[in-house]
Amino acid sequence: MHLDHPVTMPQRHTYSAEPAPGGPGEGHLARADGSRRALRVGLGGPVGSGKTATVAALCRTLRDRWSIAVVTNDIYTREDAAYLLREAVLPPERITAVETGACPHTAIRDDISANLEAVEHLEETCPSLDLVLVESGGDNLTATFSKGLVDAQIFIIDVASGDDIPRKGGPGITTADLLVINKTDLAPHVGADLTAMASDAGRQRGDLPVLFTSLTSDDGVREVAEWVTGLLARWRTRTAG
Ligand SMILES: Nc1nc2c(ncn2[C@@H]2O[C@H](COP(=O)(O)OP(=O)(O)O)[C@@H](O)[C@H]2O)c(=O)[nH]1
Ligand SMILES: [Mg+2]
């Protein structure tokens, strides 16, 4: 069981995080045997914004249709993986914890070897995986995933941490393939102006999508799940044949 054997950050070498030419993951769409590899989606964002809750909700919504596995990153613990196991969102062999032991952004952007190992191990042990979700350890607004690790990234912020966050920008907010603004249920309690957040996010991101979620409602993750489903459909077309 993966929690008993967490993947720790090797100190021995640094993986080149240079994106392959032609777009995310372009250099390695297929596995060595020629079969289609899983689509890898990273979920980043500040501590407490709702990354683990989003991963759990996505697994519940998508697991009957797609074959899914998850990699979590915590600095010193395996709490997020433990939560996902407790909630039984996936069978235990599909959940792997990486203990980063350092700044969380390092493990998803600079030395991604432990995360890559974890993803590749899941692909080997869970046949015909369609999707691997990689949750980053909570970080600040500057953390983004290496394009050598994931094919697409979702950045999650929440309304309770201040409605001026979209205006502040940073690479997660401006460049993530999808920006999720979570905990809309709390907006009335913290005086967050969702209209201002939407227009600030739009200004920062141009045509890139923004979704508002509240994971306290039963189908709160539906639009994010639809976005991921669209990605999976395009991924299958791209890797067909
Ligand atoms: N009210 C409310 N709480 C939420 C929502 N999403 C997550 N939470 C809570 O926020 C806390 C942090 O969520 P978590 O997913 O662990 O955040 P992470 O650190 O980004 O992984 C937990 O107590 C969640 O139950 C939401 O949409 N609304
Ligand atoms: Mg988490």
Side-chain angles (χ1 to χ4, degrees), residues 19-115:
E26 197 69 57
H28 44 93
L29 293 179
R31 290 142 82 169
D33 66 0
S35 61
R36 175 198 297 126
R37 72 159 173 77
L39 174 72
R40 301 165 184 174
V41 177
L43 295 96
V47 177
S49 63
K51 296 180 293 301
T52 307
T54 302
V55 168
L58 283 175
C59 289
R60 289 193 190 99
T61 308
L62 297 172
R63 66 189 172 194
D64 292 339
R65 183 164 171 206
W66 305 98
S67 175
I68 306 175
V70 171
V71 176
T72 64
N73 281 251
D74 275 310
I75 304 178
Y76 301 118
T77 67
R78 288 162 254 159
E79 273 186 40
D80 284 350
Y83 173 84
L84 296 173
L85 282 167
R86 247 188 346 264
E87 294 287 308
V89 299
L90 291 176
E93 66 274 12
R94 289 171 178 259
I95 299 172
T96 296
V98 172
E99 272 183 45
T100 61
C103 303
H105 66 255
T106 306
I108 60 161
R109 192 184 60 201
D110 304 323
D111 183 347
I112 60 174
S113 50
N115 270 291

Side-chain angles (χ1 to χ4, degrees), residues 173-175 198-210:
I173 284 166
T174 55
T175 67
S199 64
D200 288 343
R203 234 186 331 275
Q204 295 281 2
R205 290 175 54 77
D207 291 336
L208 290 170
V210 181

